[in-house]
């Protein structure tokens, strides 16, 4: 009980609201679907969200520095298409996997160069490359799908660690989460990311290589999206150009719902993880209750709007409370000063 109270004290108001929302969704989900709280259901829930979960980590870092990457789902589709094309052409699977990852890095580098070297807004750049990379995927693979991948590869996508219900893909997510936690909250690199998001010009005058860091983050985003493409291909044992269409909506929603400021400079990994669990549980509950995809998309769209307005509103309330507490103390000090 003491540990629970100490944990709750460390949460800010928005994160506490996310905890309440998550508990509410779990309670309502268990009423709508009797098997919702089953361990097998949780295992399937993460499997269905595994590609989005790792892309969320990279997206969080990019938004913290004041940028955005709308092309992640298209990079996923492009890497999947390249993997399927090369495997069907007789390439060894390991080499096809390497080229698929490399393609994601090149796509991220292309985005990063347009943003940092040409000076174009990341919103416009990645909106354009969202269509560009998806079109490239169709050029590579067309409308056909490639399957018949080796069992060991597909087992990695949908299988679980022997003796447990933990998906293999969760291991990838856990490793990446640990790396992001160390970088963002346990190193000088994280402080630089927040500084860039808060004031880019001040960060540059402080000697922080702003352009280089942003370029690196876009490359990382591309690599992670390509890794998600490999996982997606393994999970469905199918490489298609239209894989993961629309995934960017969930990815951005989770990051913003987690309290990351859309303009950069603010956000925590804990908040994003809470939002990930919340949206994942919501998607799972709606799916088990047989709600159509259109209804799910509407609800996620509403969450995206709430996630943009909510944290800012909560912070304004917090600031107002702090000012009210500080004002009487300042008055007393002024009166006591001779």
């Amino acid at each position: 009980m003491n540990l629970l109270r100490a944990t709750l004290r460390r949460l800010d108001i928005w994160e506490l609201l996310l905890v309440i929302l998550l508990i509410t969704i779990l309670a309502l989900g268990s009423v709508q679907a009797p098997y919702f709280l089953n361990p097998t259901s949780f295992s399937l829930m993460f499997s269905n969200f595994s590609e989005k979960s790792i892309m969320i980590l990279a997206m969080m870092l990019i938004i913290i520095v004041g940028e955005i990457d709308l092309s992640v789902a298209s990079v996923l589709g492009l890497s999947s298409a390249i993997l399927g094309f090369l495997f069907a052409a007789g390439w060894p699977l390991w080499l096809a996997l390497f080229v698929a990852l490399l393609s994601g890095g090149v796509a991220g580098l292309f985005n990063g160069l347009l943003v940092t070297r040409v000076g174009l807004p990341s919103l416009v750049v990645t909106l354009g490359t969202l269509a560009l990379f998806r079109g490239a995927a169709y050029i590579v693979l067309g409308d056909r799908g490639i399957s018949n991948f080796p069992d060991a590869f597909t087992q990695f996508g949908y299988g679980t660690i022997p003796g447990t219900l933990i998906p293999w893909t969760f291991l990838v997510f856990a490793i990446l989460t640990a790396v992001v936690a160390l970088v963002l909250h346990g190193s000088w690199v994280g402080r630089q990311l927040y500084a860039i998001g808060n004031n880019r010009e001040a960060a540059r005058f402080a000697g922080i290589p702003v352009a280089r860091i942003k370029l690196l983050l876009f490359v990382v985003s591309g690599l992670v999206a390509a890794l998600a493409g490999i996982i997606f291909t393994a999970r469905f044992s199918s490489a298609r150009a239209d894989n993961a269409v629309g995934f960017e909506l969930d990815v951005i929603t989770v990051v913003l719902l987690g309290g990351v400021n859309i303009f950069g400079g603010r956000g925590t990994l804990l908040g994003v993880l809470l939002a990930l669990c919340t949206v994942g549980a919501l998607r799972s509950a709606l799916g088990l209750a047989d709600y159509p995809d259109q209804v799910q998309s509407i609800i996620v769209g509403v969450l995206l709007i709430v996630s943009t307005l909510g944290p800012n509103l909560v912070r304004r309330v917090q600031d107002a409370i702090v000012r009210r507490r500080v004002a009487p103390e300042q008055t007393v000090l002024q009166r006591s000063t001779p």
Side-chain angles (χ1 to χ4, degrees):
M1 183 63 70
N2 291 332
L3 179 61
L4 177 60
R5 289 176 180 173
T7 302
L8 291 176
R9 286 195 196 102
R10 293 191 185 99
L11 300 177
D12 65 20
I13 294 180
W14 184 252
E15 291 168 350
L16 187 58
L17 290 175
L18 285 177
V19 172
I20 296 172
L21 179 60
L22 176 58
I23 293 173
T24 303
I25 290 173
L26 292 176
L28 293 177
S30 64
V31 173
Q32 290 286 330
Y35 299 103
F36 177 65
L37 295 181
N38 189 290
T40 303
S41 176
F42 282 111
S43 178
L44 291 173
M45 179 179 69
F46 181 82
S47 291
N48 292 334
F49 230 72
S50 55
E51 300 86 13
K52 297 173 186 176
S53 64
I54 63 174
M55 290 193 293
I56 284 164
L57 299 174
M59 182 69 75
M60 176 184 65
L61 299 178
I62 285 184
I63 294 181
I64 282 176
V65 298
E67 304 294 347
I68 197 167
D69 187 357
L70 299 176
S71 68
V72 288
S74 296
V75 175
L76 186 159
L78 177 59
S79 64
S80 177
I82 290 174
L83 172 59
F85 175 81
L86 295 179
F87 180 74
W91 286 43
L93 181 60
W94 68 269
L95 187 55
L97 291 173
F98 175 77
V99 175
L101 277 176
L102 184 63
S103 68
V106 171
L109 179 64
F110 181 71
N111 283 335
L113 289 175
L114 289 178
V115 172
T116 61
R117 298 292 185 252
V118 182
L120 299 177
S122 58
L123 178 65
V124 176
V125 168
T126 57
L127 184 61
T129 55
L130 178 151
L132 174 64
F133 296 149
R134 186 67 69 178
Y138 277 104
I139 291 175
V140 170
L141 204 57
D143 292 327
R144 62 184 178 134
I146 305 298
S147 56
N148 299 321
F149 289 97
D151 291 339
F153 176 63
T154 56
Q155 179 66 23
F156 167 74
Y158 67 81
T160 58
I161 298 174
T164 70
L165 291 175
I166 302 173
W168 282 109
T169 52
F170 181 80
L171 192 60
V172 177
F173 170 71
I175 293 172
L176 291 178
T177 301
V179 172
V180 170
L182 179 63
V183 169
L184 189 61
H185 298 301
S187 73
W188 55 269
V189 177
R191 292 190 291 273
Q192 289 188 342
L193 297 184
Y194 285 112
I196 293 172
N198 278 310
N199 192 319
R200 181 181 57 188
E201 294 302 322
R204 183 179 291 112
F205 283 121
I208 298 175
V210 175
R212 192 183 310 165
I213 289 176
K214 287 187 176 183
L215 180 61
L216 179 60
L217 288 179
F218 275 105
V219 172
V220 168
S221 179
L223 287 172
V224 170
L227 177 60
I230 291 171
I231 293 175
F232 193 98
T233 304
R235 188 158 67 90
F236 290 97
S237 188
S238 176
R240 295 182 57 87
D242 60 353
N243 280 349
V245 170
F247 271 29
E248 62 277 345
L249 175 63
D250 275 359
V251 171
I252 295 172
T253 298
V254 168
V255 175
L256 299 184
L257 185 63
V260 178
N261 192 336
I262 186 63
F263 301 109
R266 184 174 294 180
T268 65
L269 179 60
L270 176 59
V272 171
L273 293 179
L274 286 172
L276 173 62
C277 295
T278 300
V279 176
L282 178 63
R283 283 280 195 184
S284 179
L286 293 175
L288 289 174
D290 291 327
Y291 283 90
D293 291 340
Q294 294 86 345
V295 173
Q296 296 186 36
S297 296
I298 290 172
I299 293 175
V300 172
V302 171
L303 275 180
L304 180 57
I305 297 173
V306 171
S307 64
T308 304
L309 298 176
N312 292 326
L313 181 60
V314 168
R315 290 188 188 103
R316 288 182 182 180
V317 172
Q318 286 179 307
D319 292 341
I321 293 173
V322 170
R323 284 196 297 269
R324 287 183 180 181
R325 289 177 178 175
V326 171
E329 296 177 1
Q330 291 178 340
T331 303
V332 172
L333 288 174
Q334 288 174 356
R335 291 177 178 175
S336 62
T337 302

